[in-house]
Amino acid sequence: MTTRPSAKAGARKAPRNAALVATTAAKKVRRARSTPESETLPPEIAAWFARRGWKPRPHQLALLDAARERRSTLLIAPTGAGKTLAGFLPSLISIHNGRKKKTGAGLFTLYVSPLKALAADVERNLTHPIEEMGLKVRTETRTGDTSLARRQRQRVKPPHIMLTTPEQVALLLSHPDAPYLFADLDTIILDELHALAASKRGDLLALDLARLRKLAPNVMTIGLSATVARPSELRGYLVPQTDPEAETRLADIVTVKGGAKPVIEILEAENEIPWTGHTARYAMREVLEAIGKHKLSLVFVNTRMQAEFAFQELWRLNENNLPIALHHGSLEAAQRKKVEAAMAAGKLRAVVATSTLDLGIDWGDVDLVIHLGAPKGASRLLQRIGRSNHRLDEPSQAILVPGNRFEVLECRAAQQAAEAGDQDATLSRAGALDVLAQHILGMACQAPFDPDTLFDEVRSALPYAGLTRTQFDRTVDFVSTGGYALKSYERFAKLRPAENGKLRVANPRIVQQYRLNIGTIVDAPHLKVRLVSSRGGKKNIARMGGRVLGEVEEYFAEQLTPGDTFVFAGQVLRFEGIRDTEVFVSRAAAEDPMVPSYDGGKFPLSTHLAGRVRAMLADPSVWSALPNPVANWLELQTERSVVPAPDEVLIETFPRGNRHFLVAYPFEGRLAHQTLGMLLTRRLDRIGANPVGFVANDYALAVWTRGDISTLISEGKLSLAKLFDEDMLGDDLDAWLAESALMKRTFRLAAVIAGLIERRHPGKVKSGRQVTISTDLIYDVLRRHDPGHLLLEAAWADAATGLLDIKRLGTFLARIKERIRHQTLDHVSPLAVPVLLEIGVELVYGQDRDAILRDAADELIREATGDMRT
């Protein structure tokens, strides 16, 4: 193995005096550094530091200083800087020193994590120091995995420090006893804030923070975050926004500089890099060699499907029986906890994982991160590689393994961005109206509310600081009646007038339904996978019982027939049948089992990395640093066609077989390309090109037609400038959205979040088909009779940056105006080969698929190069 080193509701701008605020905070940090530790730390805590030969770091003392003055603060620190301990130190000291007399249940600190696994890890790492310091401080986690009995007890007798998730905070706030539970709340700690703020989960958490400030007016908020490009976006999240017309209020900030730069290498395997695909199967032997040379490796992938495939491939090659485990969100909680415990105990050499382990977790002595496939974003890569050598003064070690030739360019771009410290995550956003609808109903579940008071409370949350009263009243009306077209249906009437102008929940059933369906993560419907004996056929299914392995998506399970084999939970399983909401399987042996596909989790290429890839593609002087097959591929492209300049878009047209192709290279990500493909086919159909279909990846899209596109262009019947004009986002987009399944799916997600459609009911869960039928019917009714409905507006806002990525597409169309470079060819170009290989290939991993791709690639390359070279 060799590796190569590097060569919406309205939002407001950050204040003009942000630099001054930051400077003031820096002065406070310097003052904290001069404070004697004996005056800052109690003897028990100071002795604990001394026994380890440690001293509190300046940023830890700075947070203590801020806490004494009750200043909400954002701590930005690299991996290994001790930011989690810094966040908890003020609470540990306050609880140890004694507090004011309780007026409520006694909950002192609320810690909120984006991941259940992270909350469990932090509790483990917090419990040990508390015991060693001899502090009488009780900590407990509260997640969806916590037993019902414990969760009920926690509302009456909570610990001093509760570690939980955003969904559990919303659930706790929906109970009538929430004022009692949170009356003594002193501190809120938001960990990995950068991962929460830029999502609908962040919107819901911001609204819940606004309610917590009402229940505990003196509460202080501490935000913990990795390095971000614009810290002011997170600082405003931590404090109430009291005046919508004024500049955004900001929390204090403490920034930790320094830290060793990561060491990132790109793996070059003995086998040649594939033209397409994302599995990195060609390099698995070298990946296993790297695992064998390190104590503990985290092998990150972008999807659960890739995780199952990679785990199976590593075990197939694992002749030395290295202990390797699998961890992703669809596995049963007990299995995930077992893997986490084995990591902490040092019993594993590698764990294949998705994003379930990429935030802040410090289990075991991880000394290498391997990323299979391109990371799709610089910030995501920095987050994940920070899991290795989790110490401030030691560099993180990482190996990137590109899955295909375009991903070689992307991995090199990510490597350069990470080494430069560039961040590409977008954090600011306007709060979603479907999330607001869910929150309004949750507040009504807690107690009747006054709309005027709740409006002011909602606008104190940063994502909703620009919310208008009209938007708020429309959302309240939607929760109350379902909206104009649905108000005659009793099932949608969830609020009723109460005394003094307040609104209350219409009936107790609605409260129960709300708590069953809380949250903003709307997965595709899942079925539990239950392991049973392979003996007995259908009679065996009737016996029930057996261990639950986890969950697969309903859509995947419905495609199976008895006898089919697939990989799940690191095992090869035989499908026996389905009953109710469970899939029954038995262990099997098969050489080429299927791998379950999962909706979501497919990250698009970030705009920042796309720009770096375009620049790299346009600069032949850097190609020599690329692997030889990739460099040769790009050189062949210059011989047979051209490579575009960074600010251009290349459009190639050529015939192949009985079809004619238009291939474009926007480098704007799969989602934007899919929307562009849909709109292009509509336009091409109008001019008589007779489009047949299209395919898209993160880098390019190809449209094939019966009409000769090159001839239409040469005869002036088709103008590429008009074809790619921004006006396609007008009538063409509206017409397509009216019939688009993607738009219906976007509406479906918004309807579930807003509570219009409830998936979970007492004792049962709606199937995906039932939810789809319900939402599709409502969607058609609203488009026909109430086109201004709140949820249609919310779905459109989601489409702009979500499944359709319309906003990014609009930016691309504006960027390429008068910058289109057209090449008429009589053959396939080398650059077009990867996207053409995706036409008609089933997303089922296995040796047969690899063989099909190899044969197709050989044929395409012979055409692209004009000779027999492959």
Side-chain angles (χ1 to χ4, degrees):
M1 175 188 71
T2 58
T3 54
R4 285 178 181 259
S6 65
K8 312 179 177 192
R12 296 179 296 166
K13 296 181 179 179
R16 292 184 296 273
N17 63 345
L20 176 61
V21 176
T23 302
T24 303
K27 291 178 181 177
K28 293 172 181 175
V29 172
R30 287 195 293 272
R31 184 173 68 247
R33 290 176 180 175
S34 63
T35 304
E37 293 170 25
S38 59
E39 297 178 12
T40 305
L41 300 178
E44 295 86 349
I45 297 178
W48 180 82
F49 275 96
R51 285 196 300 271
R52 281 154 183 74
W54 298 347
K55 288 186 177 181
R57 288 174 169 161
H59 60 277
Q60 294 170 334
L61 296 176
L63 275 188
L64 288 176
D65 180 59
R68 280 195 299 271
E69 299 182 19
R70 307 300 300 164
R71 301 193 312 267
S72 292
T73 304
L74 172 66
L75 171 60
I76 292 181
T79 295
K83 60 176 177 283
T84 303
L85 179 59
F88 280 107
L89 267 180
S91 296
L92 295 178
I93 292 173
S94 295
I95 297 170
H96 174 71
N97 289 340
R99 304 167 291 157
K100 61 184 181 182
K101 185 178 179 180
K102 288 198 308 181
T103 59
L107 177 62
F108 189 85
T109 298
L110 187 68
Y111 165 93
V112 184
S113 156
L115 297 177
K116 292 184 286 187
L118 178 56
D121 174 57
V122 169
E123 190 204 14
R124 177 179 61 81
N125 289 330
L126 184 62
T127 300
H128 292 163
I130 288 174
E131 292 174 349
E132 292 168 351
M133 293 174 188
L135 305 181
K136 294 182 179 180
V137 177
R138 290 188 298 112
T139 67
E140 288 181 356
T141 58
R142 180 191 173 95
T143 70
D145 295 337
T146 305
S147 69
L148 178 61
R150 172 172 283 198
R151 279 184 281 155
Q152 289 176 334
R153 191 263 301 154
Q154 286 173 337
R155 286 173 38 216
V156 179
K157 188 178 180 182
H160 297 113
I161 300 175
M162 183 183 292
L163 302 96
T164 189
T165 59
E167 291 73 24
Q168 289 296 318
V169 176
L171 187 60
L172 287 169
L173 285 171
S174 74
H175 287 278
D177 57 10
Y180 172 77
L181 174 63
F182 294 109
D184 300 316
L185 188 63
D186 179 89
T187 302
I188 302 170
I189 302 172
L190 305 179
D191 203 354
E192 305 290 354
L193 181 56
H194 59 285
L196 277 173
S199 66
K200 288 191 176 184
R201 292 182 85 200
D203 294 346
L204 184 61
L205 181 59
L207 292 168
D208 290 335
L209 288 177
R211 173 48 58 103
L212 288 171
R213 293 188 193 106
K214 179 180 178 181
L215 300 180
N218 296 319
V219 71
M220 175 183 66
T221 309
I222 296 174
L224 308 177
S225 173
T227 304
V228 292
R230 294 172 294 278
S232 60
E233 295 173 335
L234 298 182
R235 295 169 66 192
Y237 193 95
L238 298 175
V239 292
Q241 305 302 315
T242 53
D243 185 353
E245 304 303 321
E247 293 173 329
T248 303
R249 292 186 65 224
L250 301 180
D252 280 13
I253 183 171
V254 174
T255 302
V256 180
K257 300 295 184 182
K261 286 191 174 184
V263 176
I264 307 170
E265 299 172 331
I266 298 177
L267 184 143
E268 287 189 31
E270 182 178 344
N271 294 327
E272 192 167 294
I273 302 169
W275 289 90
T276 190
H278 306 281
T279 67
R281 182 176 192 165
Y282 75 99
M284 284 299 178
R285 193 168 296 280
E286 285 84 357
V287 170
L288 190 61
E289 290 176 6
I291 290 171
K293 295 176 182 177
H294 291 79
K295 294 179 182 178
L296 176 58
S297 300
L298 282 181
V299 183
F300 279 115
V301 294
N302 289 331
T303 69
R304 287 167 283 183
M305 178 188 242
Q306 289 173 308
E308 291 281 358
F309 176 82
F311 179 78
Q312 278 296 311
E313 282 297 295
L314 288 173
W315 262 112
R316 185 176 64 84
L317 300 170
N318 188 13
E319 297 175 354
N320 294 326
N321 289 321
L322 297 176
I324 301 174
L326 176 67
H327 194 288
H328 62 71
S330 289
L331 298 178
E332 189 68 6
Q335 176 63 21
R336 296 197 306 269
K337 290 180 178 179
K338 184 178 178 181
V339 172
E340 293 160 10
M343 287 179 66
K347 296 179 180 179
L348 297 176
R349 296 294 296 278
V351 179
V352 180
T354 58
S355 55
T356 53
L357 291 182
D358 70 0
L359 290 176
I361 294 170
D362 186 18
W363 277 313
D365 195 7
V366 177
D367 56 348
L368 178 67
V369 164
I370 301 173
H371 202 292
L372 301 183
K376 302 302 173 186
S379 295
R380 182 176 299 109
L381 175 61
L382 285 168
Q383 181 72 55
R384 288 182 165 180
I385 65 178
R387 300 312 100 218
S388 78
N389 292 333
H390 208 178
R391 299 169 186 84
L392 185 62
D393 55 351
E394 293 186 22
S396 297
Q397 303 281 338
I399 297 176
L400 306 184
V401 187
N404 58 59
R405 300 191 180 200
F406 266 125
E407 283 195 354
V408 172
L409 303 178
E410 187 182 338
C411 283
R412 179 54 57 89
Q415 178 189 43
Q416 294 171 349
E419 290 174 348
D422 291 345
Q423 301 285 337
D424 55 9
T426 301
L427 302 178
S428 61
R429 55 177 279 122
L433 297 179
D434 53 346
V435 177
L436 176 60
Q438 182 182 126
H439 178 74
I440 288 171
L441 182 58
M443 296 303 94
C445 291
Q446 192 266 314
F449 68 85
D450 173 62
D452 294 338
T453 302
L454 184 60
F455 174 63
D456 291 339
E457 180 184 309
V458 164
R459 288 220 296 181
S460 71
L462 180 65
Y464 296 91
L467 184 76
T468 66
R469 184 59 193 250
T470 299
Q471 289 174 310
F472 177 79
D473 289 342
R474 288 179 62 215
T475 309
V476 171
D477 179 66
F478 161 74
V479 179
S480 300
T481 68
Y484 168 75
L486 303 176
K487 63 174 53 181
S488 60
Y489 297 92
E490 184 67 21
R491 58 174 291 200
F492 299 119
K494 298 185 177 180
L495 300 181
R496 290 281 187 267
E499 59 183 13
N500 300 324
K502 294 183 177 182
L503 293 172
R504 63 172 178 82
V505 175
N507 60 68
R509 180 190 63 81
I510 291 171
V511 176
Q512 184 182 33
Q513 290 296 106
Y514 169 82
R515 292 176 183 152
L516 285 172
N517 292 277
I518 202 167
T520 63
I521 301 175
V522 185
D523 285 332
H526 285 68
L527 302 178
K528 290 187 180 297
V529 179
R530 189 177 293 277
L531 184 65
V532 296
S533 170
S534 60
R535 297 188 298 274
K538 291 183 179 180
K539 293 181 180 179
N540 180 52
I541 297 176
R543 292 207 321 253
M544 304 294 284
R547 181 163 61 94
V548 173
L549 301 178
E551 297 178 332
V552 295
E553 289 189 358
E554 179 184 71
Y555 175 81
F556 172 77
E558 288 177 343
Q559 312 306 309
L560 300 173
T561 58
D564 286 347
T565 58
F566 64 96
V567 171
F568 182 71
Q571 305 178 55
V572 178
L573 305 172
R574 181 184 188 275
F575 174 68
E576 302 289 350
I578 296 177
R579 168 172 287 185
D580 298 328
T581 59
E582 294 191 339
V583 176
F584 291 88
V585 298
S586 59
R587 289 193 176 93
E591 293 186 358
D592 196 22
M594 291 181 283
V595 180
S597 60
Y598 293 88
D599 195 19
K602 301 177 181 68
F603 304 116
L605 175 67
S606 74
T607 302
H608 177 81
L609 288 191
R612 283 182 174 268
V613 170
R614 287 197 302 269
M616 195 182 308
L617 192 66
D619 184 3
S621 67
V622 304
W623 295 353
S624 60
L626 300 172
N628 288 335
V630 178
N632 293 338
W633 169 51
L634 298 181
E635 289 165 2
L636 280 173
Q637 175 68 16
T638 63
E639 296 173 10
R640 306 290 287 177
S641 180
V642 296
V643 292
D647 58 347
E648 291 179 335
V649 63
L650 173 63
I651 309 292
E652 295 175 332
T653 56
F654 51 82
R656 185 171 189 262
N658 59 355
R659 297 173 176 176
H660 296 268
F661 287 82
L662 180 153
V663 180
Y665 304 91
F667 293 91
E668 294 294 345
R670 185 184 298 268
L671 299 178
H673 291 174
Q674 287 174 338
T675 300
L676 178 59
M678 290 287 187
L679 297 176
L680 287 177
T681 54
R682 294 182 68 89
R683 292 194 155 194
L684 288 169
D685 186 57
R686 282 206 303 270
I687 64 169
N690 297 318
V692 178
F694 78 92
V695 67
N697 60 23
D698 269 326
Y699 319 101
L701 77 151
V703 181
W704 55 96
T705 67
R706 293 189 179 92
D708 188 336
I709 298 178
S710 297
T711 299
L712 289 172
I713 294 173
S714 64
E715 293 179 352
K717 297 178 181 178
L718 172 60
S719 165
L720 288 177
K722 291 182 179 179
L723 182 66
F724 285 84
D725 193 271
E726 291 174 272
D727 64 6
M728 75 164 60
L729 298 182
D731 293 341
D732 279 322
L733 180 62
D734 289 340
W736 173 55
L737 290 180
E739 59 192 43
S740 167
L742 282 175
M743 190 61 193
K744 285 187 175 181
R745 182 178 162 205
T746 302
F747 174 82
R748 192 179 311 140
L749 299 177
V752 171
I753 291 173
L756 186 69
I757 298 296
E758 295 154 336
R759 280 188 47 206
R760 299 179 185 88
H761 298 264
K764 63 179 181 178
V765 178
K766 275 189 178 182
S767 70
R769 187 177 294 107
Q770 289 172 322
V771 172
T772 298
I773 291 172
S774 299
T775 54
D776 285 0
L777 285 172
I778 293 174
Y779 177 80
D780 292 337
V781 167
L782 294 182
R783 280 193 63 89
R784 191 160 47 247
H785 300 293
D786 192 4
H789 192 276
L790 181 89
L791 281 193
L792 291 178
E793 179 182 328
W796 173 259
D798 287 348
T801 55
L803 289 172
L804 308 182
D805 218 349
I806 295 168
K807 182 177 180 181
R808 186 168 177 181
L809 177 56
T811 301
F812 161 72
L813 294 174
R815 174 173 65 81
I816 65 165
K817 191 178 289 291
E818 300 182 357
R819 302 297 300 171
I820 297 174
R821 187 169 187 178
H822 176 228
Q823 287 293 112
T824 301
L825 308 173
D826 58 7
H827 49 73
V828 177
S829 76
L831 211 60
V833 170
V835 71
L836 294 189
L837 282 172
E838 299 199 20
I839 297 174
V841 177
E842 292 287 339
L843 267 180
V844 177
Y845 293 117
Q847 295 175 1
D848 289 346
R849 180 179 186 272
D850 289 349
I852 292 170
L853 285 175
R854 279 196 302 272
D855 292 344
D858 290 347
E859 181 181 352
L860 280 169
I861 292 305
R862 282 195 293 269
E863 296 177 30
T865 59
D867 59 23
M868 296 301 292
R869 288 177 293 174
T870 58

